[in-house]
Each structure stands twice: as C-alpha cells, then as structure tokens.
C-alpha cells in the first residue's frame, strides 16, 4: 500500500485524489482485462502518490511530483513505494532537492581534473594556461570564472563557452571538461545520450544541457537507477550500480567468485573487460586460468564477459559455472551481488565516495523515506 496524506487540513479534492490514487495503485500488481497485463495507474494518480512521498515543505512539490511521474510513466516503471523512495533517496543524497547544488571546493577540484586530463591528452600545461587566460563571453578570463564557480551547471557553461570561443577549442580541449554529472540526481551526463530516443520533452540546447534541468535530471537519473531489470534482493545494489554502472554489483560478485577459486586478488569493481580494448584485463586473465575446469576456451570466455553490461550475462555458461564451482568450494551459496569496491578505493575514490559507501549512505535515506511513507499510510488506516 502506498502512503497518503495525514494533514488534518487536507482538502476534499486532494483527499479524493489520494484515495483514488491508492485504489489505482493497488491494482498495479493485479491482472488486467487484456491478456493478464497489470492495470497501470493513471498519471495523475501516480503524481499524487509521489507528491505525498515528497518532503512536506519542499517548494513546488507539484512540479517535482509531475517530473518524477513523467519519468515513471515514460519508462514504464511500476510506481511502487520502493521505487519512488529509491529515486527520492538519490535526490536527497546527491542534492537535497537543489537543482544546482553548490560546492565551494569546485574550483580546486576542477583545476585538478583539468590538469590531469591535459596530462593524459599530452596537451602542454602552458597551452592550457594561455587559453584559460583569454577573455570569455562575460568579459572575465576563464581563470577568473573558474575561481568563482560553485555549481556543476556553471562549470559546464564555462567550458561550453571555452570550447566555442577559443581557437581550436574543440580539437584541443574538447575532452578537458571536468563536468561529468549534473542535476538534482547528479546523473552522469553521458546517460542523456543513451535515453534520447525515449526522452519525452523537446531538447533545449545540447542533450547534456537537459541533465541540468529538473525534468531532465530526474528523467535521466530515474532511467539510470531503475530503467533496467535486475534480480537483486536488496535495493542497496541498485544504488551501488547507480555509481558504478549497470550490473556492477552482480559483476563484482562474479569477480569475487573468481577470486575465491583462483586465489588472485582482484579489484571487485564490476568491470569485467577493458573498455574499448581486446587486450584481456585482470578479471579476464583470472577467468582464463580456470578455462580447463570451466570447459570453455578463451574466445567463449571473452564473448561471455562482453555481456557484462546486460542481464543476459547471468544466463551464460561462464557465469553459472563459476558461481557453482565457487559454491561447491565454499560449501555454501556465494553472494550473487556485492557493492563494487577496489583495492585502491575501499574507503573513497577520486571523484567522491566509493560505490560501496555511496550505496550505504543512499540506503539510509531510502529507509527513512520508506519509514515516513509507512507512517503516513498507517495514520489514515481505519
């Protein structure tokens, strides 16, 4: 059952909408009239339920509820209390419902990231410094604007201007932007590109710009968090995946099983192959050492590992044989999901919290949301 309002001053219209919403949402898990498909609640019923789960004093609750409802409806995500609270938990942790959360450390972090990216791209430091000392569209130099930047949205605007106005900006500096996330869920900007075909709003500017809007940030963040099927038993693993990538928790458990079987100390980071490379990484090499026991050749191993970002990896012979072998060796079933972590960043990582700690902290917000929603629902029970 979904939560609904407890305010004694609740208007008749709002009370009626909430009660109808509860009835419709209760039908979500029931068989519908056409081929046993579940009856989906109406958008306004979903919106009402989201509104009642949001913080009471949140400015423009109706707007927040509308944007979340559109994401759920467009992506066909069941509007269960658990799913609503999962989205709100990420919002609370990432931005506390601010569209552009401020970070006084951003100038320092931005410069560090620019220097590291320039070094990896072999762009000389004097060229970067000369370019940043040019006048920008505001009349200030880019260095001056960087010194006062406080939000990722501002930083993104600086680099858009920088790349457009500086000679050879795109060729020389196109990959130097330190902005990787944005919006109320601080979703990865690259996520926007993977969901443009189902994005329900007209684009206003570049695809990445939409992430910095409330509607876009909530849509892409919800898609990244809930827009793919899993068989996880605990929501914490979805939160870990939000930071580390789809199915990273399942893949980290697979890596853990491989490490148990081989004795090789692997990074349990959820990445099974080297992105964009045919060269085997440490996980693939460790799995190859089990090839004879697995009765799989190197090509079969590689083809299976390449499915690591899809649900189907769990159906491969490689995955199931490794988990069975590890289970027999341990004398018990081994974990099917583990929050990703690495040897170097078990406590934290350069870009912030490790997936493990990120998931733990978001889970605290999630449990608080579930508890609040349960209290609201209980308060109006006859």
């Amino acid at each position: 059952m979904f939560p609904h309002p407890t305010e004694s001053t609740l208007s008749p219209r709002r009370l009626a909408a909430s009660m109808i919403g509860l009835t419709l949402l209760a039908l979500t898990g029931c068989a519908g009239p056409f081929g046993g498909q579940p009856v989906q609640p109406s958008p306004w019923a979903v919106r009402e339920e989201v509104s009642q789960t949001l913080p009471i004093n949140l400015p423009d609750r109706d707007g927040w509820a509308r944007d979340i409802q559109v994401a759920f409806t467009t992506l066909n995500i069941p509007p269960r209390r658990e799913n609503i609270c999962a989205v709100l938990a990420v919002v609370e942790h990432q931005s506390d419902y601010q569209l552009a959360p401020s970070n006084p450390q951003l100038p320092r972090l931005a410069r560090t990231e620019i220097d590291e990216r320039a070094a990896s791209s072999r762009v000389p430091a004097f060229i970067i410094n000369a370019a940043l000392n040019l006048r920008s569209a505001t009349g200030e130099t880019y260095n001056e604007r960087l010194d006062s930047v406080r939000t990722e949205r501002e930083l993104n605007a600086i680099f858009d201007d920088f790349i457009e106005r500086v000679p050879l900006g795109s060729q020389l500096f196109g990959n130097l932007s330190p902005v990787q996330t944005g919006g109320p869920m601080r979703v990865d900007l690259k996520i926007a590109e993977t969901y443009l075909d189902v994005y329900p709003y007209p684009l206003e500017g570049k695809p990445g710009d939409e992430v910095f809007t409330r509607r876009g940030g909530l849509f892409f963040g919800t898609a990244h968090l809930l827009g793919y099927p899993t068989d996880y038993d605990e929501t914490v693993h979805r939160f870990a995946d939000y930071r580390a990538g789809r199915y990273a928790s399942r893949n980290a458990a697979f890596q853990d099983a491989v490490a148990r079987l081989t004795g090789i100390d692997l990074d349990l980071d959820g990445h099974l192959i080297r992105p964009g490379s045919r060269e085997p990484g440490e996980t693939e090499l460790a799995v190859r050492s089990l090839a004879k026991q697995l009765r799989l050749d190197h090509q079969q191993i590689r083809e299976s590992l390449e499915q690591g970002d899809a649900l189907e990896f769990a159906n491969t012979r490689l995955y199931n044989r490794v988990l069975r072998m590890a289970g027999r060796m341990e004398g018990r079933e081994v974990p099917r999901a583990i929050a990703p972590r690495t040897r170097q960043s078990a406590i934290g990582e350069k870009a912030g919290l490790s997936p493990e700690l990120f998931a733990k902290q978001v889970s605290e917000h999630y449990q608080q949301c579930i508890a609040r929603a349960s209290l609201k629902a209980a308060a109006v029970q006859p």
Side-chain angles (χ1 to χ4, degrees):
M1 191 64 66
F2 277 71
H4 49 290
T6 59
E7 295 92 337
S8 59
T9 56
L10 195 64
S11 69
R13 178 193 66 80
R14 203 165 177 82
L15 178 59
S18 180
M19 295 307 295
I20 293 171
L22 285 169
T23 302
L24 289 171
L25 289 173
L27 292 172
T28 302
C30 301
F34 303 107
Q37 292 299 314
V39 176
Q40 295 297 329
S42 69
W44 64 264
V46 177
R47 193 174 301 180
E48 188 69 23
E49 290 307 315
V50 174
S51 179
Q52 298 312 312
T53 313
L54 287 162
I56 293 176
N57 297 324
L58 178 67
D60 193 18
R61 279 172 69 195
D62 290 343
W64 282 87
R66 179 194 62 238
D67 292 341
I68 293 172
Q69 170 266 305
V70 169
F72 272 60
T73 301
T74 302
L75 297 165
N76 198 30
I77 294 171
R80 296 190 297 268
R81 177 189 303 170
E82 293 82 2
N83 287 340
I84 294 172
C85 278
V87 171
L88 299 188
V90 174
V91 172
E92 288 181 9
H93 181 272
Q94 296 288 70
S95 70
D96 197 21
Y97 294 95
Q98 300 176 65
L99 297 186
S102 179
N103 181 359
Q105 302 300 318
L106 199 56
R108 178 183 60 80
L109 296 173
R111 290 186 181 279
T112 299
E113 186 71 17
I114 291 168
D115 291 343
E116 291 181 358
R117 287 173 177 249
S120 65
S121 300
R122 298 183 180 179
V123 179
F126 76 89
I127 293 181
I128 298 297
N129 292 331
L132 290 176
N133 280 320
L134 294 174
R135 295 286 170 185
S136 71
T138 66
E140 301 171 289
T141 68
Y142 293 104
N143 266 324
E144 291 170 338
R145 290 175 67 180
L146 281 173
D147 286 340
S148 61
V149 71
R150 288 296 179 271
T151 71
E152 291 176 321
R153 187 168 193 168
E154 293 173 353
L155 188 57
N156 189 61
I158 291 173
F159 266 83
D160 281 349
D161 179 37
F162 180 72
I163 290 171
E164 289 176 6
R165 291 172 62 89
V166 173
L168 300 177
S170 180
Q171 294 92 319
L172 286 176
F173 312 118
N175 66 339
L176 296 187
S177 174
V179 184
Q180 300 178 45
T181 62
M185 295 180 74
R186 294 197 67 198
V187 64
D188 192 315
L189 300 186
K190 296 178 181 178
I191 295 298
E193 300 175 4
T194 66
Y195 284 97
L196 286 179
D197 58 335
V198 293
Y199 190 57
Y201 306 107
L203 292 179
E204 298 177 1
K206 299 184 302 182
D209 295 338
E210 285 292 305
V211 173
F212 292 97
T213 67
R214 184 178 66 193
R215 69 182 192 184
L218 289 172
F219 180 87
F220 295 120
T222 299
H224 185 40
L225 178 66
L226 299 174
Y228 63 104
T230 73
D231 56 2
Y232 294 148
D233 294 326
E234 299 180 34
T235 307
V236 65
H237 296 121
R238 275 217 185 253
F239 298 143
D241 283 6
Y242 188 83
R243 186 148 188 90
R246 283 188 172 186
Y247 301 108
S249 296
R250 179 203 60 193
N251 295 349
F254 173 81
Q255 291 172 313
D256 178 65
V258 172
R260 292 169 187 261
L261 290 169
T262 63
I264 297 173
D265 184 18
L266 296 177
D267 269 341
L268 308 184
D269 58 5
H271 302 298
L272 303 184
I273 59 174
R274 288 181 174 177
S277 174
R278 294 296 303 178
E279 291 298 315
E282 67 169 16
T283 296
E284 186 172 356
L285 289 172
V287 175
R288 283 185 179 184
S289 72
L290 299 170
K292 185 174 294 186
Q293 297 98 302
L294 293 168
R295 302 189 305 279
L296 297 171
D297 61 32
H298 291 182
Q299 182 61 31
Q300 291 171 316
I301 289 171
R302 176 71 186 198
E303 289 173 355
S304 294
L305 293 178
E306 287 177 344
Q307 298 182 62
D309 60 354
L311 182 66
E312 289 71 24
F313 177 62
N315 297 326
T316 63
R317 288 180 292 174
L318 171 63
Y319 175 86
N320 285 288
R321 289 177 183 177
V322 165
L323 271 290
R324 281 199 302 270
M325 286 170 57
R328 286 197 298 268
M329 185 184 74
E330 296 288 333
R332 59 182 175 84
E333 186 173 349
V334 295
R336 297 296 175 119
I338 292 175
R341 55 184 180 270
T342 66
R343 291 186 295 267
Q344 293 78 16
S345 57
I347 298 177
E349 58 185 18
K350 182 182 68 174
L353 295 175
S354 68
E356 185 178 26
L357 287 183
F358 173 85
K360 180 179 178 180
Q361 292 185 7
V362 175
S363 290
E364 294 175 359
H365 292 287
Y366 173 76
Q367 295 299 335
Q368 293 167 5
C369 177
I370 291 292
R372 291 195 305 266
S374 299
L375 286 174
K376 285 185 179 181
V380 295
Q381 292 298 317

